[in-house]
Amino acid sequence: MSTRRILALSGGVGGAKLCLGLQEALAPGQLQVIANTADDFNHLGLRICPDIDTLLYTLSGLSDPERGWGRAGESWTVLESLGELGGDTWFQLGDKDLATHLYRTHQLDQGGTLTEVTQALAQQMGVTARIFPMSDSPVATRVFSDEGKLPFQEYFVARRCEPRVTDFEFEGLASAGVSARLARAMADQTPDLVIVCPSNPFVSIDPILGVPGMRSLLDALQVPVVAVSPIVSGMAIKGPAAKMMEELGMPVTASGVAQHYGQQHPGLLDAFVIDESDATLVADCESTGVEVHVMPTVMRSLGDKQALADRLIALCATGTAD
Amino acid sequence: MSTRRILALSGGVGGAKLCLGLQEALAPGQLQVIANTADDFNHLGLRICPDIDTLLYTLSGLSDPERGWGRAGESWTVLESLGELGGDTWFQLGDKDLATHLYRTHQLDQGGTLTEVTQALAQQMGVTARIFPMSDSPVATRVFSDEGKLPFQEYFVARRCEPRVTDFEFEGLASAGVSARLARAMADQTPDLVIVCPSNPFVSIDPILGVPGMRSLLDALQVPVVAVSPIVSGMAIKGPAAKMMEELGMPVTASGVAQHYGQQHPGLLDAFVIDESDATLVADCESTGVEVHVMPTVMRSLGDKQALADRLIALCATGTAD
């Protein structure tokens, strides 16, 4: 078990897998995660934070590994009853999952911040990593597409990512800020390495990095920043990243991701990790000005997750600092 | 099946039993129910209307006859999960029941009135009676007791009616009003008889009659008003009515109820129905200025409910009009 400290930037499923590997590989409390909240939305009066919940369920062992989202042993009584009453059922709300949303919504109504509520949930679920929402202010992704401007969950769940995307907008991002608790944690418990998880660059990582103040806090750490490509062999392991790249006219490759980060977040990355199946792309990726590491990045088993985590942690010593 | 039209004033369980008998005995749509909403409260961000829900579940056949409240075949996954997260679990929220509260809360948030939402729920559940909340404005019962002033559900559920009551207060009642839809229904579809159900006089019937405008709308109907005593043989069939009467220094008898109505709502009642086991109280009850009818009022089976309903409907012809 490493005594290193890691700060990870994460979206939902793909990021959460790596975070689980990191949590297992590090001493308790040595993993800090900044979670994307731009997917968050209000549904049936509930505040739903899909990426935070995926992180909570994955890191606590409560997640359903078969289905890939939500909680294991889930039941659907409320949703079925709601359907019988003529209520909205397009968003799959399991009974156990619903308890999380009820708890969160109530605590927010009582004046708690999303950071406080998230850390209370993490503690109750036995998560040892410290999960921070990217901001306590609501941010809402809108997807510009050939079907017009869609709220993210409508694009993602109701329309199953079928519309062709042209751009994204993050409502509320310009006026959001990093929570005092996260800023203090970054300053007081400086990580040895920042990892940009293999999450969707457009709708998970870009909004995190777009929170006013986030980039300068990361720069001030003066530690290596390494991103793991979510694109492997021209495909996204999970989610619409590859489809989005194609629709945006970008090369659907790990180097396409490296170029995107280089253009959108110049000077951020010190290193870029690509899968061993993409070894031919090293030079392409290096041309964006980063050191490139090739390793197995596909995480099927817990062993895969821990192995990738171990290899990334090893970069703490060898990574190129600013 | 009678073609008479009945307007019933009802609280929860006891009133709902009689309303079920009336619904079965009358032609579809000929029963109108005004439901107490002074027990309504917000819990975990949900708007919960216990008496409306008891009426909905009872009149739709969805209620649990064993437990006496809530829905049949209920499960408790959300509540259990909420408890594991450290959330409030003092109020028993079943999964199916929760769907009702989610639907209602969301519709109210979207600008629907409680009357509209209640009638939509009734329709979805197949209730043929028309249920009207006493008001669309929130009213909240406070119980003055030897433990201080308590919100009703805290007194009723959390403290199990144990504190000794001294008085009641109905927050919001003075500024509440009868909904336009209820006022129109009363004017357009004049009932042949108004029945005050065997509900709690203090916390169910008094608030209904206390809604500004309600009494004059009832008086304008110029039809007989008959109340059924909730006290039988010195006991309440269900709930704290008898305990409250004792604590308030009133005789715990049907005549005590008749006196209460006579004092609080002078001139309202034309007739008062007491159980056959209380036949000795006829003169006592008559002294409050009402005609007294003695009949079996204890409703155990559906047959009991229908028999009482039939006997009450028969009063349409013989009852003393104003």
Side-chain angles (χ1 to χ4, degrees):
Chain A
M1 186 174 288
S2 171
T3 56
R4 296 291 193 169
R5 184 178 292 139
I6 304 284
L7 175 64
L9 277 51
S10 177
V13 178
K17 280 187 189 177
L18 177 53
C19 288
L20 178 58
L22 290 165
Q23 180 180 260
E24 299 303 305
L26 296 168
Q30 298 300 82
L31 173 63
Q32 300 170 328
V33 182
I34 304 178
N36 172 46
T37 59
D39 299 1
D40 296 5
F41 70 121
N42 294 319
H43 180 57
L44 300 171
L46 301 167
R47 186 68 181 162
I48 301 183
C49 304
D51 289 355
I52 287 176
D53 291 343
T54 297
L55 282 162
L56 287 169
Y57 298 156
T58 303
L59 295 178
S60 63
L62 293 173
S63 61
D64 187 324
E66 303 289 314
R67 200 172 50 232
W69 55 270
R71 290 188 55 167
E74 188 58 287
S75 58
W76 308 90
T77 308
V78 177
L79 198 74
E80 283 165 20
S81 303
L82 195 61
E84 287 163 11
L85 298 177
D88 279 345
T89 57
W90 64 270
F91 190 81
Q92 293 288 304
L93 281 175
D95 297 332
K96 294 180 178 185
D97 189 36
L98 196 56
T100 307
H101 310 317
L102 274 172
Y103 179 89
R104 171 188 296 123
T105 305
H106 182 55
Q107 295 296 322
L108 291 174
D109 283 349
Q110 300 288 304
T113 66
L114 185 59
T115 300
E116 289 163 355
V117 178
T118 301
Q119 299 194 341
L121 284 167
Q123 189 174 8
Q124 289 292 335
M125 293 183 190
V127 173
T128 59
R130 297 187 67 194
I131 304 174
F132 297 88
M134 67 186 205
S135 177
D136 283 332
S137 308
V139 176
T141 300
R142 310 293 180 196
V143 179
F144 291 92
S145 78
D146 57 355
E147 297 186 10
K149 181 175 164 184
L150 301 172
F152 182 74
Q153 295 298 336
E154 194 175 324
Y155 162 80
F156 190 69
V157 178
R159 292 290 297 115
R160 299 165 184 273
C161 306
E162 284 170 18
R164 291 180 64 83
V165 306
T166 53
D167 202 357
F168 306 96
E169 179 184 273
F170 305 105
E171 223 176 88
L173 189 62
S175 58
V178 175
S179 71
R181 205 183 277 206
L182 172 55
R184 198 165 52 240
M186 287 170 78
D188 292 354
Q189 304 184 292
T190 309
D192 299 299
L193 181 71
V194 173
I195 297 176
V196 177
C197 288
S199 297
N200 189 302
F202 311 104
V203 294
S204 295
I205 302 301
D206 285 354
I208 296 176
L209 291 170
V211 175
M214 185 68 80
R215 178 65 196 273
S216 58
L217 280 166
L218 288 170
D219 289 348
L221 295 174
Q222 297 197 295
V223 300
V225 178
V226 54
V228 180
S229 175
I231 300 291
V232 171
S233 307
M235 293 179 294
I237 300 294
K238 174 100 188 164
K243 180 172 181 290
M244 287 174 173
M245 293 178 83
E246 186 267 318
E247 290 163 2
L248 295 169
M250 300 166 56
V252 187
T253 58
S255 21
V257 176
Q259 284 160 23
H260 174 79
Y261 283 142
Q263 285 161 10
Q264 295 297 312
H265 311 289
L268 176 74
L269 296 186
D270 298 290
F272 192 65
V273 170
I274 62 176
D275 188 66
E276 51 189 359
S277 68
D278 287 327
T280 56
L281 299 173
V282 169
D284 245 20
C285 293
E286 277 175 349
S287 72
T288 68
V290 293
E291 188 175 297
V292 177
H293 300 271
V294 182
M295 56 183 79
T297 66
V298 180
M299 296 171 281
R300 290 188 189 84
S301 66
L302 181 58
D304 293 341
K305 297 177 183 74
Q306 284 177 302
L308 178 57
D310 286 336
R311 287 195 178 88
L312 292 170
I313 292 166
L315 297 180
C316 289
T318 64
T320 313
D322 280 353
Chain B
M1 188 174 286
S2 171
T3 56
R4 296 292 194 167
R5 184 177 292 137
I6 305 283
L7 174 65
L9 278 51
S10 177
V13 179
K17 280 187 189 178
L18 177 53
C19 288
L20 178 58
L22 289 165
Q23 180 180 261
E24 300 302 305
L26 296 168
Q30 297 300 80
L31 174 63
Q32 300 169 328
V33 182
I34 304 178
N36 172 46
T37 59
D39 299 0
D40 295 5
F41 69 122
N42 294 319
H43 181 55
L44 300 171
L46 302 167
R47 186 67 180 164
I48 301 183
C49 304
D51 288 356
I52 287 176
D53 291 343
T54 297
L55 282 162
L56 286 169
Y57 298 154
T58 303
L59 295 178
S60 62
L62 294 173
S63 62
D64 187 325
E66 303 290 312
R67 202 171 49 229
W69 55 271
R71 290 187 55 167
E74 189 57 286
S75 58
W76 309 90
T77 308
V78 177
L79 198 74
E80 282 165 19
S81 303
L82 195 61
E84 287 163 12
L85 298 177
D88 279 345
T89 56
W90 64 270
F91 190 81
Q92 293 288 303
L93 282 175
D95 297 331
K96 295 181 177 186
D97 189 36
L98 197 56
T100 307
H101 309 318
L102 275 172
Y103 179 89
R104 171 188 296 123
T105 305
H106 181 56
Q107 295 295 323
L108 291 174
D109 283 349
Q110 300 289 303
T113 66
L114 185 59
T115 300
E116 289 162 357
V117 178
T118 302
Q119 298 193 344
L121 284 167
Q123 190 174 6
Q124 288 292 336
M125 294 183 191
V127 173
T128 59
R130 297 188 65 194
I131 305 174
F132 297 88
M134 68 186 204
S135 178
D136 283 332
S137 309
V139 176
T141 300
R142 309 294 179 194
V143 179
F144 290 93
S145 77
D146 57 354
E147 296 185 10
K149 181 176 164 183
L150 301 172
F152 182 74
Q153 295 298 337
E154 193 175 326
Y155 162 81
F156 190 69
V157 178
R159 292 291 297 116
R160 298 164 184 273
C161 306
E162 284 170 18
R164 292 180 63 83
V165 306
T166 54
D167 203 357
F168 306 97
E169 180 184 271
F170 305 105
E171 224 176 87
L173 189 61
S175 58
V178 175
S179 70
R181 204 183 278 206
L182 172 55
R184 199 165 52 240
M186 288 170 77
D188 292 353
Q189 303 183 294
T190 309
D192 300 299
L193 181 71
V194 173
I195 297 177
V196 176
C197 288
S199 296
N200 189 302
F202 311 103
V203 295
S204 295
I205 302 301
D206 285 354
I208 296 176
L209 292 169
V211 175
M214 185 69 79
R215 179 63 196 273
S216 57
L217 280 166
L218 288 170
D219 288 348
L221 296 174
Q222 297 196 297
V223 301
V225 178
V226 54
V228 180
S229 174
I231 300 291
V232 172
S233 308
M235 292 179 298
I237 301 294
K238 174 99 188 166
K243 179 173 182 290
M244 287 174 172
M245 293 179 83
E246 185 267 317
E247 290 163 1
L248 295 169
M250 299 166 56
V252 187
T253 58
S255 23
V257 175
Q259 285 161 23
H260 174 79
Y261 284 143
Q263 286 161 10
Q264 295 298 312
H265 312 290
L268 175 74
L269 296 186
D270 299 291
F272 192 66
V273 170
I274 62 176
D275 188 67
E276 50 189 1
S277 67
D278 286 327
T280 56
L281 299 173
V282 170
D284 246 20
C285 293
E286 279 176 345
S287 72
T288 68
V290 293
E291 189 176 294
V292 177
H293 300 270
V294 181
M295 56 183 79
T297 66
V298 180
M299 296 171 281
R300 289 188 190 84
S301 67
L302 181 59
D304 293 341
K305 297 177 183 74
Q306 284 177 302
L308 178 57
D310 286 336
R311 286 194 177 89
L312 292 170
I313 292 166
L315 297 179
C316 290
T318 64
T320 313
D322 279 354

